[in-house]
Amino acid sequence: MLKVNVQPVDTAEILKKVRQIEIKTKGLSNHIFAGEYHSAFKGRGMSFSEVRDYQVGDDVRAIDWNVTARLNHPFIKVFEEERELTVMLLVDVSESSLFGTVRQNKRSMMTELCAVLAFSAIKNNDKVGVIFFSDGMEKYIPPKKGKSHILFIIRELLSFTPTRKGTNIRETLRFFNNAAKKKSIVFMLSDFLTGDYQDALNIAAKRHDVVGVHVYDQRDKELPPVGLIQMQDSETGARQWVDAADKQVQQYYTQQFQQHVQYCRNSFKKSGADLISIRTDEDYVKALRGFFTNR
């Protein structure tokens, strides 16, 4: 994998970027995703609201027999869906998330995606929490409501520096499975460059509503035909010289990526979870809207 160095961002620049992301993603949440988000995820269940007069066509199984007997007139129970949800964003902050060759790196894309999802959630009066992970749990922000909380999350996404470089989806899901006591909507944003995580994903998907967001760069998939280059794995530091102009090398590189993507798809499908794939130079609006609409 090619390595891209990212320079530290000062406080003024971070605040400026927070504001830019807020303006862009809040608008998308308000005007594009609010309705789709609301209908895509169910609440925790049905809660009793009131009783009212029975009307022709009502389900007789909803009749409140105690009230009916007391008032000598048929009444039915009315239930409504409990809409308040908890949304957890599990965000990959490993070294490979800093890779990007066209419009932006993967971390920047994931930050915008998190902002859109978070603003959509608070529009629905839901709580939002975050787990930053690498090859271990890096930071946990408990779920809360409100705009100030979302802006804090965005600020952390922009400025956070992890202590480790690798990626471990399995251990991250195990931590979340042990920490989460109530059912949540879980968005896991990552390039998923890690080992086997099927068992942990199976457990998480049984307890929670899990959606994987696979973020990748064009150069994760294809090598530019630029001749002899030295490639470095940004997480392990391993280096290797390859002839990027060699057709067999290019084909092998693409096949490795395709196998990786297929493993991700199979793992999420097997667990009953959803998976969205988004490239860093693509418009994520279409991908998110398609997911919300078709879910």
Side-chain angles (χ1 to χ4, degrees), residues 50-283:
E50 61 180 348
V51 294
R52 63 165 173 80
D53 289 344
Y54 175 84
Q55 299 175 3
V56 176
D58 285 337
D59 189 346
V60 295
R61 291 173 297 182
I63 292 177
D64 188 323
W65 293 107
N66 290 330
V67 176
T68 297
R70 189 166 64 249
L71 299 178
N72 200 29
H73 182 76
F75 284 82
I76 67 166
K77 296 178 181 178
V78 178
F79 294 86
E80 62 183 8
E81 186 180 9
E82 294 182 54
R83 285 299 313 175
E84 183 179 301
L85 302 165
T86 296
V87 176
M88 288 299 304
L89 304 172
L90 277 55
V91 187
D92 183 351
V93 293
S94 65
E95 192 75 9
S96 65
S97 71
L98 299 177
F99 180 68
T101 61
V102 186
R103 183 182 301 172
Q104 59 185 333
N105 62 39
K106 294 180 230 180
R107 179 86 65 85
S108 298
M109 170 70 85
M110 287 190 279
T111 298
E112 285 197 24
L113 289 168
C114 285
V116 169
L117 295 168
F119 278 120
S120 297
I122 65 168
K123 186 75 175 178
N124 199 51
N125 200 36
D126 295 337
K127 296 179 180 179
V128 181
V130 183
I131 292 176
F132 294 169
F133 69 91
S134 56
D135 57 3
M137 204 279 289
E138 294 276 354
K139 186 180 182 69
Y140 172 62
I141 301 176
K144 292 182 181 179
K145 297 181 182 180
K147 176 183 172 181
S148 61
H149 179 62
I150 303 308
L151 295 179
F152 170 72
I153 288 173
I154 297 172
R155 190 162 62 248
E156 287 295 297
L157 284 165
L158 288 169
S159 61
F160 183 76
T161 301
T163 59
R164 287 160 290 197
K165 294 183 177 182
T167 307
N168 194 321
I169 301 291
R170 182 180 63 251
E171 291 305 316
T172 302
L173 287 172
R174 285 178 176 173
F175 171 84
F176 174 73
N177 288 334
N178 291 329
K181 304 304 180 184
K182 295 183 179 179
K183 180 177 180 180
S184 303
I185 298 171
V186 181
F187 289 96
M188 172 168 269
L189 301 95
S190 176
D191 53 19
F192 293 95
L193 295 174
T194 182
D196 176 62
Y197 50 84
Q198 186 69 68
D199 290 344
L201 180 59
N202 290 344
I203 294 172
K206 285 181 180 179
R207 299 176 180 174
H208 308 280
D209 207 339
V210 179
V211 181
V213 183
H214 175 223
V215 178
Y216 69 98
D217 187 85
Q218 180 65 20
R219 294 306 173 213
D220 286 332
K221 181 179 180 181
E222 298 174 351
L223 278 178
V226 293
L228 193 65
I229 58 173
Q230 186 182 53
M231 300 183 67
Q232 178 179 357
D233 188 310
S234 56
E235 297 190 359
T236 66
R239 297 172 183 264
Q240 181 180 3
W241 286 95
V242 298
D243 184 359
D246 187 301
K247 295 294 184 181
Q248 289 185 327
V249 171
Q250 291 180 354
Q251 184 179 15
Y252 176 78
Y253 188 87
T254 299
Q255 286 176 344
Q256 291 295 302
F257 175 80
Q258 291 172 341
Q259 290 175 8
H260 164 66
V261 171
Q262 193 58 50
Y263 173 79
C264 292
R265 290 173 179 169
N266 291 342
S267 296
F268 276 81
K269 183 177 181 180
K270 185 177 180 180
S271 70
D274 294 301
L275 181 67
I276 313 167
S277 286
I278 304 176
R279 204 171 68 198
T280 54
D281 60 332
E282 291 179 331
D283 184 0

